[in-house]
Amino acid sequence: MSTETTSGTGPADTQEMTFREAIRLALREEMERDEDVFIMGEDVGKFGGVYEVTGDLVEQFGEARVRDTPISEAGFMGAGVGAAATGSRPIVEIMFSDFIGVCSEQIINQMAKNRYMFGGKTEMPITVRTTEGGGSGAASQHSGTLHTWFAHFPGVMAVAPGTPESAKGLLKSAIRSDDPVIFFENKEIYGQTGEVPLDENYTLPIGEANVEREGEDVTVVATQRMVGESLELAEELDGQVSVEVIDPRSLYPLDTDTLVESVKKTGRLVIADESPLSYGTHAEIGMRVMENAFFSLDAPIQRVGVADVHIPFSPVLEDEVLPHASDVEAAINRIV
Amino acid sequence: MVVIDIETEDGQREALRRMLTIRAFDTKAGDLFADGELPGFVHLYVGEEAVGVGACSALEADDYITSTHRGHGHCIAKGLDPKKMMSELYGKADGYCNGKGGSMHIADVDAGMLGANGIVGAGPPLATGAALTAQLKGEDKVALAFFGDGAVAQGQVHEAINIAATWDLPAVFVVENNQYGEGTPVEKQHNVQNLSETAEAYNIPGFTVDGMDITAVYEAVKEARNRAADGQGPTLIEAETYRYHGHFEGDQQPYRTEEDIDIWKDRDAIESFKQRLVDAGTITEDEFDEMKAEIDEQIETAVEEAKSAPYPDPSEAYEDMFNATVPEISQFSSQMRADGGEDR
Amino acid sequence: MTTTVGLVVNPAAGRDIRRLTGGASVSNNYAKRRTAGCVLAGLTLVEDVDVLVMPDSSGLADRIVDDAPSDLDVGFVDMPVSASGRDSRNAAAHFEQHADAVVVLGGDGTTRDVAQTIGDVPVVSISTGTNNVVPTPIDGTVAGAAAGLVATGAIPADEATIRHGTIEVDVEKATGATSIRGLATVGVLDRAFVGTRAILDPEDIVGGVVSRASPAEIGLSGLAGGLVTHRPDEPGGVGFRLAREGATGTRVHGITVPGTLSEVRVADYQVLDDEEPYTFEVPRGVVSVDGEREHEVQDGLVTLRPVSDGPRLVQIESVLERAAHEGYFRA
């Protein structure tokens, strides 16, 4: 259980809700809190979002603040950047991260660079929400996991929570942040439930990992869907192997200290993330540990991800390429 | 910025002054670049002065503009300080971006100048966003996007105008048709003969004005601004103009001849406006010469001060990425600097 | 013997700010290209017609020639292109020597430019918008057929054209004198700049002289037409002066700009004889010609005179009706 609530934490009331509902709650609270916050994207209004995340928000906040856009990712991403530069606090939804290529110009050359290029004289308080991940037969153009691109690219923060609680806390921080944050939501866990604090002042700082389960023998750094699967696996292995599960939650900035501390204790590291393996998130996490805990490592670092292919359509093929708990278990078995 | 009322004689003289300032600034910048004084690229606005000054004269002080890679003219037209601009061109610490942006990224958000832009066509979506802020907050502000004829062929420009039109945003889109998209004539890049015709696709008014006549640009933008501020949505204005210099300094310009350029120089925006003011008795030849000399001196001073201004400390390279503190940047930068960076 | 028809298509479309400020209609270059194609098709009603098209820098004329019907010999006038009104005048000067009729696609301004150098060659003027006084808004095929009938002499030009009047403008200022020429209307406006050229605000109108007046027209000729009707081929014209603030005058409704029905007060109006002057003292203002602000004046005397030396305009309907009467359309 997380303890990183900000000061002013209210009553410790929590409620069980889905990942999707936790995000919607964060959106609702932040829109109530700050009228400069607005949402725009494809079908976010009356439709309620293609994954029903925005839901009924349009009824509460109206069409001006829960704004359906034309299918013009470059146009409305740019409009988000322009709005953020002029005193608004936009939340831009890109329906599938696979579509980010369509608007990446506005992200990489405007959103990510303006503050720096202008000598720090402008802020860019924009949040981009997008979905990732395979598992629903959506095939290659609607199933990708692209967060590594933006965790790599200087000037944006990349957040990818694995639990409803962290989704709420981090999204609220993203919206309040004066920096651009891209918030990656794995669509396979939208229905996953968890206890979520109801306190409207509950936020989680971007750049802090969370130890979801303590263990002694091996550290599993898992993201998004892999967090839940790794936790279940850890329970199954309980008594044989003591598994520590950490959700980094934020990929950039990355909480190196928490990861390093864990590996110093366990001596073994498995990284489970749904992105492709080459030049990736796994590599960065592994390298940070190598740089800081090289002499604590008792075994080679193991990577669990996608073997540099796209997500195929046929359920058999899709299941083949996606990482699962069984892959994490195999990785653990290789080094423990 | 100081708002110019071009309907008054004072306003006309100020408009002339700004056009002259742009020409002096950019002519100087071209010379400095040729002498190897300025690093990077410079794209000069010489020839197009009436568009920037005419358009900005029609705006209110709090209105926004987005600019292009050829942005010096827009900056001066919006009232930015040539000294801080010149310092930025030199990469000095007292430049508009503390030396981080250079010629193509001068910005002064407080003055409503949302940035020159190195990406052709990236400005209009930003203007659409600024206009969206104005609409959401109910502010009496308008966002004007300057972009070139080349940008009209960019998908994101179409998206931006379509969004602004669909949402009735208070935006004005000004196409500076300087006849060449980089080194290719406009007719080889577009199937419409007048770029303003594209407005029909958005169901908004669009028309072409003589971009060599500051009064035409002013009047057109004034009407478009009124319409935008009145909640009636954006307007697309094409201003026909010409850049006397190459796409960038050093461009050999195989795509045109001296004669092509002379046709437009015969209609020079500054010369013709000055002549009209002289004919009208608003300014005398002597006063004009005096104004020109003052401006030349102002630019010379700006150059001298920029030259003697300090460079930013090398450690500044690691500042300004985020408002928040990001441990990676301090950690990696100290690693890199420990490898000798500090003494370079 | 081969007949030559000249074709002038003004590529400078879309310059009318009244699209923004008023109800001006739009005619884009695609529409003009299609209309020009219709004109060429209409010309095939008669035989042995060559067509010479005014070149332009925008590619519009190239398209028109490329798309021409294969049984027509269509080429360009050999002339330099300046991308200004000068092109229409130069092309018309060429047609004055070498064409039997000329078809103009444009507005009042283009027709005026052509009129200045076209001499006695019959002119078919087709409006590509709805905001013009002189050109006729008519299908290009119909107009092309009429042009062909007049050019070949099948219908004698003398019987199928009218001579439109013009207005001579002399501006005398301390800095020198200028002469310009209007076709249908010349106005004096209380505005400092030429600016976007269009007459935006009826309140700016000081007065003017028109060579034709009818309430069925938009602008100054419509304003004068509210007082008196004057046909385009009648010698002379109508001069008028509006009442300035505070002064009294006859109240007149007029369609001053598209989409605007205004009430103005006329202090004085006068039916003018051929070459009878009507003058304005202008401390600061602009002279408009055929609906467009043209010339800035500071402390000047503006003298306007109707003159009966305008272009010979083909009366399209009467040409075709007469041709039908003579059995021309019976295959």
Side-chain angles (χ1 to χ4, degrees):
Chain A
M1 191 69 205
S2 164
T3 54
E4 300 100 317
T5 52
T6 54
S7 59
T9 301
D13 290 353
T14 63
Q15 185 182 313
E16 187 175 333
M17 65 179 77
T18 61
F19 193 87
R20 169 189 290 116
E21 287 164 343
I23 291 171
R24 191 186 306 140
L25 181 60
L27 293 171
R28 193 188 307 280
E29 287 176 2
E30 292 309 300
M31 289 185 78
E32 281 169 350
R33 177 177 177 269
D34 182 350
E35 61 181 21
D36 290 340
V37 177
F38 72 96
I39 299 172
M40 65 176 159
E42 292 153 4
D43 297 338
V44 296
K46 201 161 184 68
F47 194 104
V50 72
Y51 285 100
E52 295 166 38
V53 173
T54 45
D56 63 349
L57 292 177
V58 69
E59 283 161 34
Q60 183 176 348
F61 300 104
E63 291 182 2
R65 291 181 67 200
V66 185
R67 184 172 279 264
D68 285 323
T69 63
I71 304 173
S72 302
E73 285 85 358
F76 68 77
M77 184 63 76
V81 175
T86 51
S88 294
R89 208 165 268 277
I91 302 164
V92 176
E93 179 174 319
I94 298 292
M95 197 181 276
F96 294 88
S97 63
D98 308 80
F99 304 168
I100 277 189
V102 177
C103 57
S104 53
E105 149 54 27
Q106 284 290 337
I107 297 177
I108 67 178
N109 276 317
Q110 314 299 327
M111 185 195 295
K113 290 182 183 169
N114 269 11
R115 188 179 202 281
Y116 186 76
M117 291 193 305
F118 300 167
K121 291 176 187 157
T122 184
E123 302 300 347
M124 191 52 62
I126 183 170
T127 303
V128 178
R129 289 182 45 244
T130 190
T131 68
E132 293 190 308
S136 56
S140 299
Q141 294 175 341
H142 295 74
S143 302
T145 293
L146 277 66
H147 51 235
T148 304
W149 298 7
F150 299 97
H152 167 76
F153 198 83
V156 291
M157 297 186 177
V159 174
T163 65
E165 181 195 350
S166 55
K168 182 189 172 189
L170 284 164
L171 182 55
K172 286 167 70 78
S173 291
I175 296 166
R176 294 182 192 188
S177 163
D178 283 333
D179 294 313
V181 179
I182 307 187
F183 194 83
F184 295 94
E185 301 166 14
N186 182 290
K187 50 191 179 275
E188 290 304 303
I189 58 172
Y190 271 137
Q192 209 169 85
T193 55
E195 289 294 323
V196 175
L198 295 178
D199 179 8
E200 59 200 31
N201 291 317
Y202 172 79
T203 60
L204 290 171
I206 293 169
E208 283 190 14
N210 186 46
V211 180
E212 298 283 340
R213 183 187 194 278
E214 291 192 7
E216 301 298 329
D217 301 333
V218 59
T219 301
V220 175
V221 174
T223 66
Q224 301 179 305
R225 176 176 57 84
M226 298 312 294
V227 176
E229 295 205 16
S230 300
L231 284 170
E232 279 177 29
L233 173 70
E235 290 305 318
E236 281 171 29
L237 296 179
D238 199 28
Q240 308 157 49
V241 187
S242 172
V243 180
E244 177 145 312
V245 179
I246 299 179
D247 179 359
R249 303 192 295 200
S250 160
L251 302 173
Y252 192 93
L254 180 66
D255 180 1
T256 310
D257 292 348
T258 300
L259 309 178
V260 166
E261 199 181 315
S262 173
V263 173
K264 280 184 174 164
K265 175 175 70 177
T266 62
R268 291 176 173 80
L269 175 63
V270 174
I271 306 151
D273 177 70
E274 200 181 303
S275 59
L277 286 163
S278 287
Y279 294 92
T281 294
H282 314 78
E284 182 62 27
I285 291 171
M287 195 63 203
R288 298 268 182 112
V289 169
M290 296 271 278
E291 282 174 339
N292 295 285
F294 182 76
F295 295 105
S296 303
L297 283 168
D298 295 327
I301 296 168
Q302 300 296 307
R303 295 187 279 182
V304 175
V306 174
D308 293 2
V309 295
H310 301 297
I311 308 303
F313 169 65
S314 168
V316 174
L317 301 176
E318 184 180 42
D319 193 53
E320 167 62 31
V321 306
L322 291 178
H324 293 293
S326 54
D327 301 303
V328 178
E329 186 176 6
I332 291 171
N333 288 338
R334 285 198 292 273
I335 55 172
V336 176
Chain B
M1 79 179 263
V2 181
V3 179
I4 305 177
D5 181 357
I6 214 170
E7 313 261 0
T8 67
E9 295 199 350
D10 280 347
Q12 289 155 18
R13 283 188 289 263
E14 180 58 25
L16 185 64
R17 175 184 293 276
R18 284 199 193 176
M19 288 203 287
L20 281 168
T21 305
I22 293 170
R23 181 151 305 177
F25 183 94
D26 264 4
T27 303
K28 189 73 195 176
D31 292 346
L32 292 168
F33 184 83
D35 293 346
E37 281 270 313
L38 298 180
F41 306 128
V42 285
H43 303 81
L44 305 183
Y45 200 64
V46 176
E48 306 181 29
E49 295 90 347
V51 185
V53 178
C56 288
S57 303
L59 298 179
E60 299 295 326
D62 289 341
D63 289 344
Y64 296 108
I65 63 167
T66 66
S67 173
T68 68
H69 56 286
R70 200 175 304 288
H72 305 164
H74 305 140
C75 293
I76 292 170
K78 193 77 170 89
L80 269 61
D81 179 359
K83 273 189 193 174
K84 290 178 75 179
M85 290 172 60
M86 192 58 84
S87 268
E88 191 59 37
L89 263 57
Y90 271 90
K92 296 300 181 76
D94 62 349
Y96 266 105
C97 309
N98 305 353
K100 280 214 180 73
S103 162
M104 261 191 291
H105 305 297
I106 298 174
D108 185 357
V109 174
D110 291 339
M113 165 60 190
L114 298 181
N117 211 310
I119 305 297
V120 170
L126 303 177
T128 291
L132 180 55
T133 292
Q135 190 189 63
L136 282 168
K137 289 178 183 268
E139 298 168 331
D140 178 25
K141 289 184 186 178
V142 165
L144 181 147
F146 289 108
F147 53 108
D149 46 277
V152 174
Q154 275 280 11
Q156 59 176 329
V157 172
H158 156 69
E159 294 183 18
I161 301 174
N162 181 54
I163 290 172
T166 304
W167 294 350
D168 285 333
L169 296 181
V172 179
F173 296 96
V174 176
V175 184
E176 300 179 310
N177 181 354
N178 68 15
Q179 314 301 327
Y180 302 92
E182 304 190 6
T184 302
V186 66
E187 62 269 20
K188 289 190 174 175
Q189 302 199 31
H190 302 280
N191 197 42
V192 289
Q193 276 88 31
N194 295 284
L195 300 174
S196 62
E197 286 179 19
T198 58
E200 287 171 45
Y202 311 111
N203 194 17
I204 60 170
F207 52 93
T208 301
V209 296
D210 181 358
M212 304 305 271
D213 179 353
I214 185 174
T215 66
V217 177
Y218 162 79
E219 195 172 86
V221 174
K222 188 85 177 167
E223 295 290 346
R225 193 212 176 268
N226 289 345
R227 180 174 188 275
D230 200 31
Q232 296 183 66
T235 299
L236 178 65
I237 298 167
E238 175 191 20
E240 290 200 315
T241 182
Y242 205 74
R243 63 168 149 78
Y244 296 171
H245 288 244
H247 167 56
F248 51 85
E249 287 306 281
D251 173 1
Q252 296 302 309
Q253 307 179 56
Y255 48 85
R256 64 179 182 182
T257 63
E258 279 299 322
E259 291 72 48
D260 292 333
I261 303 171
D262 287 342
I263 291 172
W264 288 83
K265 282 188 172 169
D266 284 349
R267 304 175 47 222
D268 185 69
I270 296 177
E271 188 53 36
S272 63
F273 188 54
K274 169 215 149 188
Q275 202 52 54
R276 286 154 76 175
L277 296 192
V278 168
D279 285 351
T282 308
I283 193 169
T284 64
E285 291 281 358
D286 284 350
E287 284 166 345
F288 177 78
D289 292 342
E290 211 172 289
M291 180 188 278
K292 212 160 170 287
E294 261 174 46
I295 290 166
D296 287 343
E297 199 184 312
Q298 183 195 358
I299 299 300
E300 282 303 330
T301 310
V303 172
E304 289 315 312
E305 290 187 13
K307 273 187 186 174
S308 57
Y311 279 107
D313 187 274
S315 65
E316 291 274 319
Y318 305 109
E319 303 294 326
D320 302 329
M321 281 296 287
F322 293 98
N323 176 288
T325 304
V326 168
E328 275 84 349
I329 295 172
S330 47
Q331 187 200 323
F332 291 145
S333 63
S334 55
Q335 274 174 22
M336 296 306 292
R337 288 172 65 76
D339 295 339
E342 249 165 326
D343 299 327
R344 241 176 255 159
Chain C
M1 194 178 129
T2 305
T3 304
T4 301
V5 172
L7 180 60
V8 173
V9 184
N10 179 6
R15 271 148 215 283
D16 196 341
I17 192 179
R18 292 175 303 179
R19 292 173 182 199
L20 168 59
T21 58
S25 64
V26 172
S27 178
N28 62 26
N29 273 358
Y30 182 72
K32 285 185 189 172
R33 181 178 145 198
R34 300 303 306 146
T35 303
C38 291
V39 169
L40 297 179
L43 283 169
T44 61
L45 178 71
V46 295
E47 284 170 4
D48 289 332
V49 174
D50 288 354
V51 180
L52 283 177
V53 181
M54 177 183 83
D56 62 57
S57 60
S58 73
L60 178 60
D62 294 334
R63 296 277 183 108
I64 292 167
V65 172
D66 287 348
D67 297 347
S70 53
D71 49 342
L72 272 185
D73 188 351
V74 181
F76 291 109
V77 180
D78 183 14
M79 57 175 271
V81 175
S82 71
S84 72
R86 213 183 310 153
D87 290 344
S88 301
R89 294 196 289 276
N90 287 344
H94 180 87
F95 294 142
E96 197 262 333
Q97 295 292 319
H98 302 288
D100 302 293
V102 60
V103 179
V104 179
L105 265 69
D108 291 328
T110 314
T111 309
R112 181 191 61 243
D113 284 334
V114 168
Q116 296 198 359
T117 49
I118 198 63
D120 286 337
V121 177
V123 175
V124 174
S125 181
I126 309 173
S127 172
T128 47
T130 56
N131 319 309
N132 296 305
V133 171
V134 180
T136 318
I138 195 164
D139 172 71
T141 330
V142 171
L149 290 164
V150 172
T152 55
I155 304 298
D158 286 347
E159 296 166 31
T161 57
I162 60 159
R163 175 78 68 179
H164 200 288
T166 64
I167 304 131
E168 207 172 72
V169 186
D170 289 305
V171 182
E172 287 168 59
K173 295 183 283 190
T175 46
T178 310
S179 288
I180 45 182
R181 187 62 76 105
L183 182 56
T185 69
V186 173
V188 175
L189 307 175
D190 182 13
R191 206 166 243 256
F193 298 128
V194 166
T196 54
R197 299 190 166 266
I199 299 174
L200 297 175
D201 187 350
E203 306 234 324
D204 293 342
I205 301 168
V206 175
V209 168
V210 297
S211 64
R212 57 192 286 168
S214 160
E217 291 168 2
I218 281 182
L220 300 184
S221 66
L223 211 56
L227 300 160
V228 58
T229 301
H230 193 94
R231 293 198 319 276
D233 56 342
E234 266 183 82
V238 181
F240 66 93
R241 213 180 290 281
L242 299 189
R244 306 313 295 162
E245 237 170 288
T248 54
T250 316
R251 286 157 55 159
V252 177
H253 288 292
I255 304 169
T256 42
V257 293
T260 308
L261 189 66
S262 351
E263 186 187 298
V264 298
R265 278 173 303 124
V266 178
D268 168 63
Y269 79 93
Q270 210 175 311
V271 176
L272 303 171
D273 288 335
D274 200 24
E275 303 201 16
E276 182 181 349
Y278 197 78
T279 60
F280 291 87
E281 278 177 24
V282 183
R284 174 147 208 180
V286 177
V287 174
S288 75
V289 176
D290 293 307
E292 293 198 330
R293 282 175 276 158
E294 183 76 23
H295 189 73
E296 292 168 8
V297 181
Q298 177 86 10
D299 291 326
L301 179 69
V302 178
T303 306
L304 309 177
R305 284 186 194 85
V307 185
S308 304
D309 66 348
R312 294 170 81 195
L313 293 180
V314 173
Q315 301 304 99
I316 297 170
E317 260 182 67
S318 60
V319 168
L320 293 169
E321 282 169 10
R322 175 144 175 209
H325 186 70
E326 292 181 8
Y328 216 91
F329 287 99
R330 290 170 194 264

